[in-house]
């Protein structure tokens, strides 16, 4: 059950979150990998098999493991510091630095008692700064890190020279220690930089989407203001005039109220037109938009068939909503690599089929694994699409198609269609003109 739950949660993560998690796990595992390989290898032949050298080697191994634990503990906060979302406290830099100095002290003691060969000494010297450098390279500038690495190498040379290390072993300390520092630099810094760029791009996309929504709201508010502003002002003036004429007993008051009624009906129809234009979706526009959005997300999208230019406007609008919802859910669910949108016109019906791979294995609440109940304008997921298609006597089928494929099929008969004016009005609104005519 735990494995299934972990797998389900993993499939629901976005690609960017997976990359983020992979990068952090890699940096967490790296010091352990180097420590267990570079610190254990000298025990076989390089460390002299005597009680004191073995004890010093084991102590050095324990200190290195403690460095790995501190590195894992600080990796999240150092990443956040690099991304600019938090500040790495200076007090947390002190314990890793103390352990690094203890590591160098034990290494110098082992060399001083002639307990390790030159090759083992260089391997352990190369591993000494790695765990500390993984977090340090994220919280300091590159130039400062390189200066610190040179200073650490100079300190190590001085300590080893003080205990009697000479010749090739002492000369190799600087390049081996700098190799460990530079290896950490080129492994950690580019990964963190790439991750920060991807998060910034994701934030930019979110901001762009919010700006687009805000712009659309402004447009809709502007259209409503343009439609209603003048008419409401005229209605107010004519109502005041009718009141004055009625108070004077003038028959022209009736004409003014009739004019007010006419303007009110005109305004109502204009508002319907604005709302209908706001809610309708164009099939050709949605097909082009789906191809662009999916391609931008790294999903190969193929659109076959015509754009439905010869279809009635209500059918084009309904199929446009199907394309929009299907493209949205392809992005949200599973891990697709390819999506095919096929529009076929038969003698008595039109069929729109959207098929994508990488569908999640668990069936969704609407009967398929690739499409959920994502909300959208004018409807929620498949339920909203079925309501739109039901007005046109159409049908919607969605579900797994085998081999990791998910298929959504919308079918609309090419018979007499409901006029566009009826598609976006509730039943009560459709009956209102009839009742008004009866009252008149």
């Amino acid at each position: 059950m735990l494995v299934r739950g972990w797998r389900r949660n993993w499939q629901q993560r976005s690609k960017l979150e997976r990359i983020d998690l992979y990068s952090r796990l890699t940096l967490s595992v790296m010091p352990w990998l180097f420590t267990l390989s570079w610190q254990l290898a000298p025990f076989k032949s390089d460390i002299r098999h005597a009680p004191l050298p073995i004890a010093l080697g084991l102590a050095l191994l324990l200190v290195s493991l403690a460095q790995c634990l501190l590195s894992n503990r600080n990796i999240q906060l150092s990443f956040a510091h690099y991304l600019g979302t938090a500040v790495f406290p200076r007090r947390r830099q002190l314990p890793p630095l103390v352990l690094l100095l203890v590591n160098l002290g034990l290494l110098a003691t082992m060399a001083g008692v002639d307990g390790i060969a030159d090759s083992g000494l260089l391997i352990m010297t190369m591993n000494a700064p790695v765990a500390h450098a993984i977090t340090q390279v994220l919280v300091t500038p590159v130039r400062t890190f390189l200066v610190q690495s040179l200073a650490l190498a100079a300190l190590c040379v001085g300590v080893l020279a003080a205990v009697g290390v000479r010749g090739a072993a002492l000369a190799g300390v600087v390049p081996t220690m700098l190799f460990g520092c530079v290896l950490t630099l080129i492994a950690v810094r580019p990964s963190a930089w790439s991750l920060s760029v991807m998060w910034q791009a994701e934030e930019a996309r979110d901001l762009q989407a919010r700006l687009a929504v805000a712009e659309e709201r402004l447009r809709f508010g502007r259209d409503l203001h343009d439609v209603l502003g003048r008419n409401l002002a005229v209605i107010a003036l004519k109502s005041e005039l009718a009141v004055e004429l009625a108070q004077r007993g003038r028959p022209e008051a009736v004409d003014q109220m009739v004019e007010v009624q006419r303007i009110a009906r005109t305004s109502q129809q204009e508002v319907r037109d604005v709302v209908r234009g706001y809610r309708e979706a164009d099939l050709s526009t949605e097909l082009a938009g789906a191809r662009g959005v999916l391609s931008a997300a790294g999903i190969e999208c193929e659109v076959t068939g015509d754009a439905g230019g010869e279809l009635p406007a209500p059918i084009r609008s309904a199929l446009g909503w199907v394309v929009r919802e299907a493209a949205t859910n392809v992005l949200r669910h599973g891990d697709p690599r390819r999506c095919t949108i096929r529009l076929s016109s038969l003698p008595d019906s039109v069929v729109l089929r959207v098929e994508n791979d990488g569908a999640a294995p668990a069936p969704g609440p609407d009967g398929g694994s690739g499409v959920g109940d994502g909300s959208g304008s004018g409807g929620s997921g498949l339920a909203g699409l079925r309501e739109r298609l039901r007005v046109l006597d159409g049908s919607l089928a969605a579900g797994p198609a085998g081999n990791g494929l998910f298929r959504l099929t919308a079918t609309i008969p090419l018979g007499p269609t409901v006029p566009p004016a009826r598609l976006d009005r509730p039943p009560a609104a459709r009956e209102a003109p009839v009742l008004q005519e009866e009252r008149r």
Side-chain angles (χ1 to χ4, degrees), residues 373-410:
D373 268 333
S375 60
S377 301
S380 295
L382 297 183
L385 295 181
R386 288 192 176 99
E387 291 176 2
R388 287 182 176 275
L389 297 179
R390 192 179 299 120
V391 177
L392 302 173
D393 296 329
S395 61
L396 183 74
N403 296 326
L405 297 178
F406 184 89
R407 182 179 299 150
L408 182 145
T409 305

Side-chain angles (χ1 to χ4, degrees), residues 10 78-79 87 116 142 173 193-194 213 224 231 278 307 311 348 360 368 380 382 413 417 419:
W10 174 260
S78 60
F79 244 117
V87 177
I116 186 171
V142 175
V173 168
W193 178 82
S194 301
V213 171
L224 281 180
N231 291 349
Y278 178 76
L311 297 175
D348 57 344
S380 295
L382 297 183
T417 57

Side-chain angles (χ1 to χ4, degrees), residues 262-280:
R262 184 191 67 79
I263 296 174
R265 288 178 178 173
T266 302
S267 300
Q268 185 180 22
Q269 184 59 43
E270 289 177 349
V271 170
R272 287 200 189 102
D273 293 339
V274 170
V275 173
R276 186 181 304 116
Y278 178 76
R279 294 178 62 191
E280 285 182 349

Side-chain angles (χ1 to χ4, degrees), residues 243-264:
V243 170
E244 293 181 1
L245 292 175
Q247 290 175 348
R248 298 176 185 176
R250 301 284 295 275
E252 292 87 347
V254 177
D255 297 332
Q256 295 297 327
M257 291 308 299
V258 171
E259 183 67 13
V260 168
Q261 186 180 28
R262 184 191 67 79
I263 296 174

Side-chain angles (χ1 to χ4, degrees), residues 205-432:
R205 282 193 291 268
D206 292 342
L207 179 60
Q208 184 179 11
R210 290 194 295 268
L211 290 176
V213 171
E215 183 179 356
E216 185 63 18
R217 287 175 177 172
L218 289 175
R219 185 199 68 81
F220 187 58
R222 184 177 61 250
D223 290 348
L224 281 180
H225 177 271
D226 294 341
V227 168
L228 293 179
R230 180 182 61 84
N231 291 349
L232 290 177
V234 174
I235 288 175
L237 291 175
K238 287 188 172 291
S239 299
E240 293 175 2
L241 179 58
V243 170
E244 293 181 1
L245 292 175
Q247 290 175 348
R248 298 176 185 176
R250 301 284 295 275
E252 292 87 347
V254 177
D255 297 332
Q256 295 297 327
M257 291 308 299
V258 171
E259 183 67 13
V260 168
Q261 186 180 28
R262 184 191 67 79
I263 296 174
R265 288 178 178 173
T266 302
S267 300
Q268 185 180 22
Q269 184 59 43
E270 289 177 349
V271 170
R272 287 200 189 102
D273 293 339
V274 170
V275 173
R276 186 181 304 116
Y278 178 76
R279 294 178 62 191
E280 285 182 349
D282 180 71
L283 178 57
S284 59
T285 302
E286 295 299 330
L287 287 173
R291 183 191 291 122
V293 169
L294 294 178
S295 299
I299 302 172
E300 181 182 357
C301 181
E302 180 183 1
V303 179
T304 60
D306 55 24
E310 302 297 326
L311 297 175
I315 294 180
R316 290 202 308 271
S317 178
L319 292 179
W321 281 108
V322 174
V323 172
R324 178 183 297 185
E325 183 66 23
T328 300
N329 285 284
V330 168
L331 292 173
R332 285 181 178 176
H333 302 278
D335 189 16
R337 292 291 181 269
R338 179 179 176 83
C339 177
T340 303
I341 304 175
R342 185 177 295 107
L343 182 64
S344 306
S345 296
L346 304 178
D348 57 344
S349 63
V350 60
V351 178
L352 176 69
R353 182 175 290 109
V354 181
E355 188 175 274
N356 65 277
D357 60 1
D366 284 307
S369 60
V371 179
D373 268 333
S375 60
S377 301
S380 295
L382 297 183
L385 295 181
R386 288 192 176 99
E387 291 176 2
R388 287 182 176 275
L389 297 179
R390 192 179 299 120
V391 177
L392 302 173
D393 296 329
S395 61
L396 183 74
N403 296 326
L405 297 178
F406 184 89
R407 182 179 299 150
L408 182 145
T409 305
T411 305
I412 302 178
L414 294 175
T417 57
V418 180
R422 294 184 58 195
L423 289 177
D424 293 315
R425 289 191 295 172
R430 298 171 192 166
E431 297 172 359

